[in-house]
Amino acid sequence: MLVGLLLISAGTLIGLRFARAGSLPGITVEGIDVGGRSAADVRDRITLLAQRKGDAVIVAARDEEHHRGTARDLGYSLDIDTTVEQIMYRGRQGNPLVALADHLRAFRGALHLPALESVREKAVARWAKRAAVALEREPREGRLRFDGATIQAVQPRPGQTVDTGDLQEKATAVLLAGGGGIINVMTNETDPRTDAADVADVLGQAEKAVAKPVTLQRGDDRATLSPDDIGNLLATRATSDGTIRLRVKPSALTQTLGADTISAFEREPQSALFEVDGNSINLIKGHLGFSYNESKAAKQLLDVLTGGRGRTVTIAGDTQEPELSNAEARKLNIVERVSTFTTYHACCESRVTNIHRIADIVDDAVIKPGETFSVNGHVGERTADKGFVGGGAIFEGEFVEQIGGGVSQFATTTYNAAFFGGYEIVEHKTHSYYISRYPEGREATLNYPDVDLKIRNNSPHGMVLSTSYTGESITVSVYGKKWVEVGTTTGPRTNIKQPKTQYKENDDMPKGKEHVIQEAGAAGFDVTVTRTLKFPDGETRREEIFTRYLPQPRIIERNT
């Protein structure tokens, strides 16, 4: 009997297979009819299903906030090949009874097959993280809104965080269940650091701050901030300890005061000065400088607004020390004229302009004990922009015109003033030729930057170089405090050499012609100057300064 039943079943199955070459009728996958179709047709329909499900929209929602994504964003995929094989395999199983049962169910159209789909876990996690960021809400701390002197309190509000693990599970389930949909996000509430009492506290401070005007002043200059001005400068911030702090916005304060007011508050530092009056010298006091500092001014203003003191205050800022303070100037003990020296020159030459200009620049220079004063360092290069003009100078043994020519007379005068004051001459260079208006062996020349006059203040007191001039003379005086007695002797001239004639070839001149460009001058000679220094403790020191002057040649230009 059983054998017969199997034979009948096998025969029926063979017949049905011949009658149904494609997929079994009545098969559906995710609502798509794939029954009674060829394998190629089934593949086309499953491919369409994969596209439709890949385009499905997933919406994570919290209150009125949403974050959207597609199934593809979450790594959704459908295995088309395996799904097609599964469909075509139904009714063709190795077990004839199972295969026949599928054929019988196909008559009733009740064969519903699942799609072989999956979701990538990492992709879902990434999407869930992005959704959480979009849907989370930071706690809102209590604060104040300012519109001039009008203040509005903003109460704190809890924040919300999103459970990303729950969001991943729900998104995966929705996709595998049927495509897209809306996911209601599970959230956790986070408390703000501040509360209503904190808002009330800072509101009381703010109302006090805008109650009256505030005046900022410095010296005779003032700036008054109205209550509306003050309100527009204020803001609040919540601190980590759960309080709300009132603050003044520095940049807003700067803008409100304006550049003109700030400039009026500021002033440059002024060093203490020494003013010569005849043979005496007086100290003229200097003062500190002041510059506006918006951070310090804002902090100070907040203290005034929230404190119990008056509403007028000297504005805070940065002070700048002058180069020489009043206290430092007093310690220099500059009380008298120590030495002075004058040299003379012809009137009204261009070199006189340069002598006067360098004298003006050096006038009132202060040299502290132990410091070395460099004329080149103090004056810099002699240029037309600084007011210097062309003047006579010696270059490579020849008298020439150059910008700043003549300043050597100032150097010689300064040298002698320092010499008779007992100060150390660190560096100097005499002229190549002896010039009769200068004392022999006690003179100096200048050429920027390599020929300089440097004087070191080796006394225990400060020194001031004071200059004055007439149309025919230049005077340099040193003020400080006498600290040594100075004497000097000048030795005889030795090694005297008469001038010679020098020739300079000039191919631009007519052949055989000569032109005297410099007549012979003074003879050359050696001389030694001795300076004697007698100190209060009885010590006597002798210094010898040796100078060799070259004979001033006669120079003839020619073309041989």
Side-chain angles (χ1 to χ4, degrees), residues 31-349:
I32 295 180
D33 182 7
V34 293
R37 302 179 184 280
S38 67
D41 194 10
V42 169
R43 171 174 290 278
D44 289 342
R45 288 183 167 249
I46 296 303
T47 300
L48 290 174
L49 174 63
Q51 292 175 349
R52 175 173 64 82
K53 297 201 71 174
D55 292 336
V57 175
I58 304 297
V59 179
R62 177 192 59 78
D63 298 334
E64 297 181 357
E65 299 293 328
H66 298 80
H67 181 76
R68 301 168 66 88
T70 65
R72 288 188 179 86
D73 295 334
L74 282 75
Y76 170 83
S77 64
L78 192 154
D79 188 341
I80 296 175
D81 291 339
T82 305
T83 301
V84 171
E85 289 178 5
Q86 173 185 269
I87 294 168
M88 301 307 296
Y89 181 67
R90 300 305 291 264
R92 294 178 173 81
Q93 296 92 328
N95 186 329
L97 293 179
V98 174
L100 181 59
D102 274 352
H103 278 276
L104 295 177
R105 282 199 295 272
F107 280 114
R108 300 193 301 273
L111 198 52
H112 305 296
L113 302 182
L116 299 181
E117 53 194 352
S118 63
V119 176
R120 291 201 315 276
E121 184 176 342
K122 288 184 178 180
V124 177
R126 286 195 298 270
W127 178 84
K129 186 176 181 179
R130 290 194 299 270
V133 171
L135 298 176
E136 286 179 341
R137 183 176 69 195
E138 290 291 329
R140 184 180 69 193
E141 301 296 343
R143 59 190 178 91
L144 302 178
R145 287 197 188 104
F146 295 89
D147 182 8
T150 302
I151 308 171
Q152 179 185 357
V154 179
Q155 296 299 330
R157 181 187 66 190
Q160 289 183 336
T161 59
V162 173
D163 187 335
T164 55
D166 176 71
L167 185 56
Q168 286 179 238
E169 291 180 6
K170 288 180 178 178
T172 301
V174 167
L175 283 175
L176 297 181
I182 296 177
I183 304 170
N184 290 316
V185 176
M186 181 181 295
T187 60
N188 299 309
E189 192 171 274
T190 55
D191 294 327
R193 297 189 300 271
T194 55
D195 56 26
D198 297 320
V199 176
D201 287 344
V202 76
L203 178 60
Q205 296 176 32
E207 289 173 341
K208 178 181 177 182
V210 300
K212 297 178 182 178
V214 168
T215 298
L216 302 175
Q217 64 180 14
R218 190 159 192 91
D220 295 331
D221 297 293
R222 295 181 168 223
T224 298
L225 302 173
S226 69
D228 278 340
D229 290 332
I230 295 169
N232 291 328
L233 300 177
L234 296 176
T236 57
R237 64 182 179 87
T239 64
S240 58
D241 61 1
T243 59
I244 304 174
R245 297 279 178 84
L246 193 66
R247 70 184 187 93
V248 172
K249 296 175 286 188
S251 59
L253 176 59
T254 299
Q255 185 175 1
T256 300
L257 291 176
D260 290 343
T261 297
I262 290 172
S263 178
F265 285 153
E266 294 181 320
R267 70 172 178 173
E268 294 294 324
Q270 175 63 59
S271 289
L273 300 175
F274 293 93
E275 184 178 68
V276 173
D277 183 10
N279 293 335
S280 62
I281 188 166
N282 301 313
L283 174 63
I284 307 300
K285 291 183 178 180
H287 57 72
L288 296 172
F290 174 80
S291 63
Y292 172 76
N293 182 311
E294 65 177 25
S295 296
K296 290 183 179 179
K299 182 179 183 301
Q300 178 193 35
L301 179 58
L302 181 62
D303 291 340
V304 172
L305 295 174
T306 58
R309 299 183 300 276
R311 308 278 281 194
T312 298
V313 64
T314 299
I315 190 169
D318 295 324
T319 57
Q320 289 94 36
E321 293 287 339
E323 187 175 347
L324 182 65
S325 70
N326 296 331
E328 290 172 330
R330 284 190 291 270
K331 288 180 180 179
L332 292 178
N333 199 23
I334 298 172
V335 295
E336 61 187 334
R337 189 170 73 180
V338 176
S339 59
T340 186
F341 200 80
T342 301
T343 60
Y344 298 88
H345 52 72
C347 173
C348 311
E349 297 176 348

